[in-house]
Amino acid sequence: MQQEVIIVGGGMVGLSLSLMLAKQNIAVKLLEAIKYPNYDDANLAPYHSSFDARNSALSRRSVQIYQELGLWDSLQEHATPILQVHITEQGSFGKARLKAEQEKVESFGQVIENAWLGRVLLTQVQKEKNIELIDGVKVTSLTQTENEANIEAERDGEKLSLTAKLVIAADGRDSFCRKALGVGASVHDYDQVAIVTTVQTSKPHDHVGFERFSHLGPLALLPLPGEYRRSVVWPVKKGTEDEWLGDENDQHFLDALQETYGDRAGKFEKTGKRFCFPLSQVLAEKQAVGRVVLMGNAAHTIHPVAGQGFNLCMRDAYVLVRYLTEQLAKSEDIGEPSMLLDYEKSRLTDQQRVIKFCDSVVRGFSNQNPILKLIRNTGLLAFDLIPGIKPLVANYAMGLKA
């Protein structure tokens, strides 16, 4: 008999995970609170709450996972490789550079707009016979017994009762399922919001990704499809976002980018609509409770400074599927609590390393103390000059050493 999994949360992690499970002949019921958009126009990718204006820098490991799923050709049409990474601090001497050619890799990863990533994933999910997609559904209860997990939900006034051997909660930073399980979470508010948009520059991006630490916040400028299009992710102090949003502030925003980046990208000519997202770190105290596993932002929400959040979630999902596949091969229960605890334990080293790194970068570069600025800029120089450091960091950033 085919064993079934319920996934709560149909964002990019939930969709990706459902496709990994379906490939292993595991039946999936995928529940999403928000109605998905209709894709009537082949050239458009409408925003959804889970596929919004943000972009994802897919690590080499994430790209490999999508290749295994047979999805990369469709995703590649909307993605752009990162061939170089430049890290600098405004008004300081330190700099570090990584080149894919020197590290003997095709690229460090690929940048894709979340709206397109979501569209490709959703289109594939809708074709999968092993996935039942239920959107516009509100989960109202999560309980479990020794042998099964139970979901109560509502959809268009109709009550639903669902049962499975395993529930995977990928329902976001404010996860209902996490709270229903009684699992606490540590929360750190960075007192920042991320300003996100797309810009056009006079110089081609040449597949270079920039990370520029400024007094306003760590500014990431990444290449997008189209020779002169770049994505901007700029965390700024909470409460200052109105200064950067709205059509009337277009030129002010472009001028600030120009001042921060100088002429590395040429002239910042046009900007799209800006969106803002609050930034905080949310870490669940447990990730496996009985027959329920927390996944994605429900398990760990981290700062986007190094673009590692989604890639970490993809590695979590991939390892969980491996554990479930091994259970199937032995004809054993895929919701076995002890096995799920083993999965959680296996992921802690990778998770803690990424979480600590991202948090340290944010805190370290936010401090404008002159002595600390000297130390970190000396560190950037050392990174650029000392043999052996670059390959180690490059492999780590690509998710190949996790």
Side-chain angles (χ1 to χ4, degrees):
M1 180 179 175
Q2 189 179 36
Q3 298 195 54
E4 186 171 76
V5 171
I6 296 172
I7 299 177
V8 181
M12 298 189 303
V13 173
L15 290 170
S16 299
L17 177 56
S18 68
L19 290 168
M20 294 182 208
L21 292 170
K23 188 177 178 66
Q24 301 302 323
N25 200 34
I26 298 173
V28 178
K29 278 190 170 67
L30 180 59
L31 313 183
E32 166 56 28
I34 309 298
K35 287 276 189 180
Y36 287 114
N38 292 318
Y39 294 125
D40 299 325
D41 189 328
N43 298 312
L44 294 177
Y47 290 153
H48 176 266
S49 63
S50 298
F51 332 133
D52 49 38
R54 286 173 282 192
N55 305 276
S56 293
L58 303 178
S59 70
R60 285 294 304 151
R61 188 71 191 98
S62 295
V63 170
Q64 289 173 355
I65 293 171
Y66 285 128
Q67 287 172 334
E68 290 180 26
L69 289 172
L71 285 178
W72 185 245
D73 286 347
S74 297
L75 291 171
Q76 179 71 84
E77 295 178 21
H78 310 288
T80 300
I82 302 174
L83 303 183
Q84 294 187 46
V85 177
H86 293 184
I87 307 168
T88 58
E89 181 170 8
Q90 186 179 11
S92 300
F93 60 87
K95 63 181 179 181
R97 295 183 181 180
L98 284 167
K99 296 183 179 181
E101 184 179 19
Q102 290 180 354
E103 305 308 322
K104 297 179 174 56
V105 293
E106 176 192 348
S107 70
F108 292 119
Q110 303 264 347
V111 185
I112 187 168
E113 292 164 272
N114 286 1
W116 278 111
L117 176 56
R119 172 169 180 156
V120 172
L121 293 175
L122 180 58
T123 299
Q124 186 61 33
V125 163
Q126 291 170 334
K127 297 176 182 176
E128 276 289 344
K129 61 179 178 59
N130 281 329
I131 302 174
E132 181 183 353
L133 186 60
I134 309 173
D135 64 353
V137 61
K138 179 183 178 181
V139 174
T140 57
S141 172
L142 167 60
T143 58
Q144 50 184 324
T145 65
E146 182 180 348
N147 297 313
E148 61 188 24
N150 305 289
I151 293 282
E152 299 290 329
E154 296 177 355
R155 186 180 192 237
D156 297 331
E158 177 188 0
K159 293 187 181 299
L160 305 176
S161 294
L162 307 171
T163 300
K165 289 292 186 182
L166 170 65
V167 167
I168 301 172
D171 53 341
R173 179 178 63 181
D174 300 317
S175 170
F176 170 86
C177 293
R178 188 179 67 222
K179 296 170 185 174
L181 291 169
V183 175
S186 64
V187 180
H188 173 71
D189 188 340
Y190 286 107
D191 196 32
Q192 293 178 331
V193 295
I195 306 298
V196 176
T197 191
T198 300
V199 297
Q200 178 178 307
T201 58
S202 62
K203 289 183 180 179
H205 55 62
D206 291 333
H207 303 284
V208 179
F210 290 98
E211 186 80 45
R212 178 80 161 161
F213 293 94
S214 74
H215 68 282
L216 292 174
L219 174 54
L221 195 67
L222 300 175
L224 286 174
E227 198 175 359
Y228 299 94
R229 293 179 69 235
R230 305 175 193 239
S231 91
V232 173
V233 181
W234 198 349
V236 300
K237 186 172 177 58
K238 186 185 294 183
T240 68
E241 56 266 33
D242 288 347
E243 179 181 351
W244 310 110
L245 305 177
D247 294 346
E248 70 278 8
N249 289 323
D250 282 6
Q251 193 57 52
H252 175 57
F253 180 72
L254 291 170
D255 290 344
L257 284 175
Q258 199 75 64
E259 180 183 353
T260 301
Y261 265 98
D263 65 354
R264 293 169 182 80
K267 180 177 174 56
F268 287 85
E269 297 178 333
K270 294 181 181 178
T271 176
K273 182 178 179 180
R274 270 89 62 211
F275 299 84
C276 71
F277 303 91
L279 299 179
S280 60
Q281 181 189 86
V282 182
L283 306 177
E285 293 172 356
K286 299 178 183 178
Q287 295 176 44
V289 180
R291 294 179 169 274
V292 182
V293 173
L294 300 180
M295 185 66 56
N297 285 340
H300 41 70
T301 302
I302 63 179
H303 197 284
V305 65
Q308 290 298 306
F310 180 65
N311 296 304
L312 180 61
C313 296
M314 286 291 285
R315 297 199 294 275
D316 290 343
Y318 190 84
V319 172
L320 176 61
V321 172
R322 188 182 72 209
Y323 271 79
L324 301 185
T325 303
E326 289 172 357
Q327 288 289 98
L328 281 180
K330 296 182 290 186
S331 298
E332 295 184 1
D333 182 359
I334 60 173
E336 169 58 45
S338 62
M339 177 271 297
L340 298 177
L341 287 173
D342 287 343
Y343 152 76
E344 178 184 19
K345 185 178 179 181
S346 75
R347 294 299 302 141
L348 290 179
T349 298
D350 185 22
Q351 291 174 359
Q352 290 170 357
R353 186 170 49 187
V354 170
I355 291 164
K356 183 177 180 180
F357 171 74
C358 293
D359 186 59
S360 298
V361 170
V362 176
R363 294 174 187 269
F365 278 91
S366 296
N367 194 316
Q368 297 302 307
N369 181 293
I371 295 177
L372 287 178
K373 286 188 74 170
L374 175 64
I375 291 172
R376 63 186 177 237
N377 277 273
T378 302
L380 286 174
L381 281 180
F383 173 86
D384 216 38
L385 296 173
I386 298 176
I389 293 182
K390 284 189 179 183
L392 181 66
V393 173
N395 280 327
Y396 172 58
M398 291 185 287
L400 300 179
K401 291 297 184 183

